[in-house]
Amino acid sequence: MHYKRQQVKEIQSLLGSPPSRMIFVTGPRQAGKTTLVLQALADIPPSNREYIPIDEPGQGTLPAFPGQTGSPQGPLAETVDTLLGEPGANWIRSLWEKAREQARRLENGFVLVFDEIQQIPDWSPTVKGLWDRDRINGTRLHVILLGSAPLLMQKGMAKESMTGRYITVHVPHWSFTEMREAFGFSLEQYLYFGGYPGGASYIHQQSQWRKFIADAIIEPNIERDILAMEQIKNPALLKLLFELGVECSGQIMSYTKMLGELRGKGHTTTLIRYLDLLSKSNLVTGLQKYSNAPHLRKHSSPKLNVLNTAFIPLLSDYTFEEAQADRSFWGRLVESAVGAHLHNTQNPSSKLYYWREKDYEVDFVLKRGPKLIAVEVKSGRKRSYPPGLRKIKTRFEDVVPVLVGANGMSLSKFLSIPARDLPEGL
């Protein structure tokens, strides 16, 4: 793929400075993390970098970079090939020491990439010790860590010993603009098929597309990533909650009602924790109700929202053509796409909510510093100004109302503006 996401330049900029922190590339499965890291390294001479795919330790080589000529063998290839047994702490140390030798020998230093690092048990203490030694010695060695299991990666990087030793490059789900520019997606195709580049080649073979989403995304996320976390005592409940979140995306639902829909399995505290895990896995989130009182937000009923609209058609029997013909179903896709876009493209310091007071409701409220951006989605033909937007302006100061669809901002334009860039004077 020749299309380059903005994170490529971000990684290249970090590699252009002396190494002060490790680079932690995180994001959903199938978001193209490995591809963009390889793109970021493509202009670095082969002698100055090595890519180690831990899920294929026997390879020990760098796969062909985009535009690379000659042998794909990296300078550490022979070392990797001679290491025996399952990758572990000693395996990391041996490769790291060889990378140090290269970094000391070469004027421009060295870049060492570990892909699928989460597959090595308790990897973070080893990496922490090696990194600290390099900082003491001033070794010009850049280290990039990435993996396909976002929860396990976060768990390793969140350990206290890693604090202050890494910078995060977050790779979110692909936006409408990216899917349009890279694969020629129309707005309708993006709403239905979502933002997974790996599924783009299957959109005209819908059975193959469904198989890709199920086998490459949902199954490994739930069956492997989340269940690999400790204390998942009720895997069946986790799967049912995911399906409920997809089926009811766009709905405000109390945890009591969820338990009813889930046939009374589990407890409220379990649902809260499992929904948080689904959100951290970039699958489904539960938005809190906005209020000036933090305790009221915490105890509010969540509004469910998928973080990639591909999940909604997957769990339905609708074809692409049937989905467009059903205005109610299509309206749910539209609102879910707006919610996912706001969630996936907001600043880390921002927070996304919904708002409701008696009969008044606003679909989404983005809190960005002292400002509130209230977003209402209208996928139908009614052109009257939503009463919820009028009401919220009387309740809170510094509210910027945004109407998407109908006589407001077009959906395609809205989905082309990252939430972090939404102007405050709309």
Side-chain angles (χ1 to χ4, degrees):
M1 180 194 294
H2 297 294
Y3 184 83
K4 293 183 180 180
R5 304 184 74 185
Q6 66 176 14
Q7 291 81 12
V8 173
K9 290 184 178 180
E10 187 177 351
I11 294 173
Q12 288 175 331
S13 177
L14 292 170
L15 294 177
S17 302
S20 59
R21 288 181 288 178
M22 288 176 279
I23 302 171
F24 173 37
V25 182
T26 183
R29 278 185 175 270
Q30 295 293 326
K33 297 184 291 295
T34 297
T35 297
L36 67 86
V37 167
L38 296 183
Q39 289 174 333
L41 300 181
D43 294 332
I44 298 176
S47 60
N48 292 76
R49 38 77 166 153
E50 182 73 83
Y51 167 85
I52 308 295
I54 293 174
D55 55 342
E56 300 179 20
Q59 297 296 318
T61 63
L62 184 68
F65 281 104
Q68 177 181 331
T69 58
S71 171
Q73 299 290 323
L76 308 190
E78 184 176 346
T79 301
V80 178
D81 290 339
T82 58
L83 293 174
L84 300 176
E86 290 295 319
N90 289 333
W91 191 86
I92 294 177
R93 292 190 190 99
S94 296
L95 288 169
W96 200 295
E97 184 54 46
K98 290 294 183 180
R100 280 175 176 159
E101 293 176 8
Q102 290 290 105
R104 297 187 191 106
R105 186 172 63 84
L106 299 171
E107 180 180 354
N108 295 324
F110 195 79
V111 181
L112 178 62
V113 181
F114 286 109
D115 199 351
E116 301 291 341
I117 188 70
Q118 82 284 347
Q119 294 195 18
I120 297 181
D122 207 23
W123 55 269
S124 56
T126 301
V127 167
K128 180 256 185 185
L130 293 166
W131 179 258
D132 286 352
R133 180 181 169 188
D134 286 344
R135 301 288 62 73
I136 294 172
N137 296 331
T139 307
R140 195 174 174 85
L141 175 64
H142 282 284
V143 176
I144 300 177
L145 306 175
L146 67 156
S148 61
L151 274 178
L152 293 177
M153 288 291 290
Q154 292 167 26
K155 182 179 180 181
M157 300 303 289
K159 290 181 180 294
E160 185 177 352
S161 62
M162 297 294 284
T163 303
R165 292 173 172 85
Y166 65 91
I167 186 169
T168 298
V169 175
H170 181 64
V171 182
H173 287 292
W174 284 54
S175 68
F176 166 54
T177 300
E178 291 173 320
M179 294 299 289
R180 180 183 60 195
E181 293 178 352
F183 304 104
F185 267 36
S186 67
L187 176 62
E188 291 75 19
Q189 287 173 327
Y190 179 73
L191 293 174
Y192 183 92
F193 295 106
Y196 283 114
S201 61
Y202 301 121
I203 64 173
H204 300 298
Q205 303 168 296
Q206 292 186 40
S207 61
Q208 292 298 313
W209 173 80
R210 289 173 180 272
K211 179 175 175 56
F212 169 80
I213 298 297
D215 294 350
I217 297 164
I218 294 179
E219 190 276 334
N221 258 301
I222 294 180
E223 297 289 344
R224 294 206 296 270
D225 296 354
I226 300 181
L227 295 185
M229 299 289 286
E230 57 190 69
Q231 297 180 350
I232 302 297
K233 297 180 179 179
N234 196 337
L237 178 64
L238 179 69
K239 297 174 189 176
L240 288 173
L241 181 59
F242 167 73
E243 293 174 0
L244 180 67
V246 173
E247 182 181 351
C248 299
S249 181
Q251 294 184 31
I252 301 168
M253 183 176 292
S254 70
Y255 288 106
T256 301
K257 185 175 180 180
M258 286 188 206
L259 286 173
E261 294 289 336
L262 298 172
R263 298 185 290 278
K265 298 181 179 179
H267 303 280
T268 297
T269 53
T270 304
L271 289 184
I272 293 173
R273 179 169 179 266
Y274 285 5
L275 187 57
D276 180 60
L277 290 175
L278 289 171
S279 182
K280 290 177 179 177
S281 297
N282 302 282
L283 296 174
V284 176
T285 194
L287 303 177
Q288 297 176 347
K289 174 184 172 182
Y290 181 75
S291 170
N292 282 331
H295 71 280
L296 293 179
R297 300 179 200 167
K298 185 176 181 180
H299 294 95
S300 61
S301 296
K303 177 175 181 175
L304 301 171
N305 206 105
V306 295
L307 298 181
N308 197 307
T309 52
F311 306 140
I312 297 178
L314 178 70
L315 297 188
S316 74
D317 293 326
Y318 281 85
T319 64
F320 179 48
E321 295 73 23
E322 291 168 341
Q324 293 179 83
D326 187 324
R327 289 177 58 187
S328 176
F329 183 87
W330 197 255
R332 190 157 66 92
L333 276 179
V334 169
E335 182 176 337
S336 296
V338 170
H341 175 73
L342 287 167
H343 183 280
N344 296 336
T345 63
Q346 64 181 321
N347 283 323
S349 58
S350 301
K351 183 71 175 177
L352 187 62
Y353 303 90
Y354 72 93
W355 181 75
R356 183 173 64 179
E357 182 179 291
K358 296 182 180 179
D359 294 332
Y360 298 98
E361 185 178 326
V362 174
D363 292 325
F364 305 102
V365 175
L366 180 66
K367 180 171 173 53
R368 209 169 57 187
K371 295 286 186 179
L372 296 177
I373 299 178
V375 180
E376 181 69 14
V377 185
K378 288 290 184 184
S379 59
R381 299 174 181 175
K382 289 186 178 181
R383 297 189 175 273
S384 58
Y385 195 76
L389 287 181
R390 287 197 181 94
K391 192 69 174 179
I392 195 172
K393 290 175 66 177
T394 69
R395 290 290 182 265
F396 305 102
E397 296 180 358
D398 297 322
V399 173
V400 178
V402 179
L403 176 61
V404 180
N407 57 337
M409 184 186 296
S410 71
L411 178 62
S412 60
K413 181 179 180 180
F414 184 85
L415 293 179
S416 299
I417 305 174
R420 56 184 173 272
D421 296 334
L422 281 173
E424 297 176 352
L426 291 171

